[in-house]
Amino acid sequence: MPDDLAAALSENAAAAAAFDRLDKTGQYALILPLLKATTPETRLARVRKAITKLVENE
C-alpha cells in the first residue's frame, strides 16, 4: 500500500474500516489511480478522493 494512502487511512478510522472490507480487487481499484498519478498534486487529490469515496460508501 502506498505510504500516503496508509497515512490517510490511519487518520480516518471510518475510511480504514471501509478499505479493510474491500476485497483485493476493490483495494487495487482504489490504489491504481494513485500509482498512475504523474504529479504530487494529482496524487494528493486522488488520495483525498479515495478517502471521501470510502467514507461515503461505508
Side-chain angles (χ1 to χ4, degrees):
M1 176 184 308
D3 292 339
D4 47 358
L5 180 59
L9 289 173
S10 71
E11 294 175 5
N12 189 318
F19 184 82
D20 289 340
R21 284 192 300 273
L22 294 174
D23 61 7
K24 294 293 181 191
T25 302
Q27 290 179 358
Y28 181 75
L30 196 75
I31 292 171
L32 184 61
L34 305 179
L35 300 177
K36 288 186 169 187
T38 56
T39 66
E41 294 81 14
T42 301
R43 189 172 173 114
L44 179 60
R46 290 180 183 177
V47 168
R48 288 180 178 156
K49 184 177 179 180
I51 296 298
T52 300
K53 186 176 178 181
L54 285 168
V55 171
E56 288 175 354
N57 292 330
E58 186 184 28

